[in-house]
Amino acid sequence: MNSPERDALYARPVAKIADFAFDEQVARVFADMIQRSVPGYETITSAIGLLSTRYVRPGSYCYDLGCALGAATLAMRRHLKERNCVIIAVDNSPAMLARCREIIQQAHAGIPVEIVCADIRDIKIHNASMIVLNFTLQFIPPEERLALLTKVYRGLLAGGILILSEKLAFADARQQTLHTEMHHAFKKAHGYSELEISQKRAALDKVLLPETLARHKERLQQAGFASCEVWFQYFNFASLIALK
Ligand SMILES: C[S@@+](CC[C@H](N)C(=O)[O-])C[C@H]1O[C@@H](n2cnc3c(N)ncnc32)[C@H](O)[C@@H]1O
């Protein structure tokens, strides 16, 4: 992939900040934005590749739900060269998927990738050995998350894996403040200004709704996942493995 365009979407003062949307201007800079905004993003993406080697079975599907530009899809595909399986990459943003398509086509050929423009709440999931929700569930209204995770659980084969990565909230006020401030320090260290950080935060306020780790674990159990652990956390960003 060519080096991504630098994210400067919130660099200038904006009179009225609109809700964040995965539109054309975000799609252009998204690869840079997510690396400079999400602590541990590259580690998580590469671990998704490693985990695919262990979990993906011949003749099954891998789902990348909210695939954005296809980073997790590519990580899985790099590791699944000779496996007879198909990756289904789903997103409901046409702008993100247009770029995703280009990126997947440019990457070295590998197992087939089906790119689907749809709401992940509406698709059927079946015969899956691996399902990835990498920073996507946080954009689904909280009251609809259990139904989605129940569908994910039912669509997985026994022994299958869900990777769920999310921005977290904390019940303890001091922890909330600490992690929020350290996340902002991470963003500053990666070149974002105070203005960019505060304007982006305002844009995401009603769109990205983080929950506590306890809430995520409880819901995963309700959905059917008896086995679930955090395998990675960096400030208020975590990734969980849930096994069927
Ligand atoms: C933070 S990005 C995910 C990043 C991506 N998974 C990765 O690993 O690089 C969230 C993505 O979820 C998509 N999304 C949000 N709500 C969705 C929904 N209801 N159905 C499908 N895609 C959705 C957005 O369009 C966006 O591309």
Side-chain angles (χ1 to χ4, degrees), residues 20-23 26 30-31 34 38 41 44-45 48 64-73 90-94 96-97 116-123 132-141 144 148 165 207-208:
F20 187 86
F22 291 96
D23 56 15
V26 168
F30 183 76
I34 195 156
V38 174
Y41 174 74
I44 293 172
T45 308
I48 287 169
D64 182 3
L65 302 179
C67 62
L69 303 186
T73 288
V90 187
D91 205 289
N92 65 353
S93 159
M96 298 295 272
L97 281 191
V116 179
C117 189
D119 192 306
I120 56 173
R121 291 167 292 183
D122 299 334
I123 61 160
V132 175
L133 273 164
N134 205 32
F135 302 107
T136 302
L137 191 69
Q138 59 197 16
F139 294 103
I140 302 292
E144 296 182 42
L148 175 60
S165 312
V207 181
L208 190 171

Side-chain angles (χ1 to χ4, degrees), residues 8-216:
L9 293 183
Y10 294 98
R12 299 215 171 141
V14 180
K16 188 172 183 304
I17 300 191
D19 282 349
F20 187 86
F22 291 96
D23 56 15
E24 171 54 35
Q25 52 167 0
V26 168
R28 263 193 295 113
V29 299
F30 183 76
D32 176 70
M33 173 189 279
I34 195 156
Q35 280 177 49
R36 292 199 291 131
S37 304
V38 174
Y41 174 74
E42 282 175 46
T43 303
I44 293 172
T45 308
S46 76
I48 287 169
L50 292 175
L51 286 160
S52 71
T53 311
R54 183 177 174 113
Y55 281 94
V56 174
R57 306 217 207 120
S60 71
Y61 293 114
C62 307
Y63 288 84
D64 182 3
L65 302 179
C67 62
L69 303 186
T73 288
L74 286 177
M76 290 189 280
R77 191 158 80 153
R78 271 194 289 276
H79 283 79
L80 298 174
K81 289 198 179 71
E82 276 132 39
R83 241 163 271 197
N84 168 29
C85 52
V86 175
I87 301 175
I88 301 179
V90 187
D91 205 289
N92 65 353
S93 159
M96 298 295 272
L97 281 191
R99 291 203 169 247
C100 178
R101 233 172 241 117
E102 283 173 23
I103 292 167
I104 302 275
Q105 272 163 15
Q106 280 166 20
H108 296 297
I111 61 166
V113 177
E114 274 178 33
I115 297 177
V116 179
C117 189
D119 192 306
I120 56 173
R121 291 167 292 183
D122 299 334
I123 61 160
K124 288 210 169 74
I125 297 180
H126 65 109
N127 188 28
S129 50
M130 178 157 181
I131 299 180
V132 175
L133 273 164
N134 205 32
F135 302 107
T136 302
L137 191 69
Q138 59 197 16
F139 294 103
I140 302 292
E143 66 280 8
E144 296 182 42
R145 294 179 186 179
L146 177 59
L148 175 60
L149 290 179
T150 303
K151 177 170 75 173
V152 161
Y153 181 79
R154 290 186 182 149
L156 271 174
L157 298 164
I161 183 170
L162 164 68
I163 312 290
L164 173 66
S165 312
E166 287 278 292
K167 183 176 186 182
L168 296 178
F170 297 82
D172 180 279
R174 283 197 301 172
Q175 293 288 341
Q176 181 65 47
T177 303
L178 165 67
H179 286 278
T180 303
E181 289 178 1
M182 292 316 297
H183 177 220
H184 292 171
F186 175 93
K187 292 185 76 166
K188 275 180 89 171
H190 286 79
Y192 284 114
S193 67
E194 296 280 4
L195 178 70
E196 285 176 295
I197 294 169
S198 72
Q199 294 195 131
K200 170 95 176 290
R201 190 181 187 188
L204 282 170
D205 189 47
K206 295 195 194 70
V207 181
L208 190 171
L209 302 172
E211 296 178 298
T212 63
L213 197 49
R215 180 72 193 106
H216 281 297

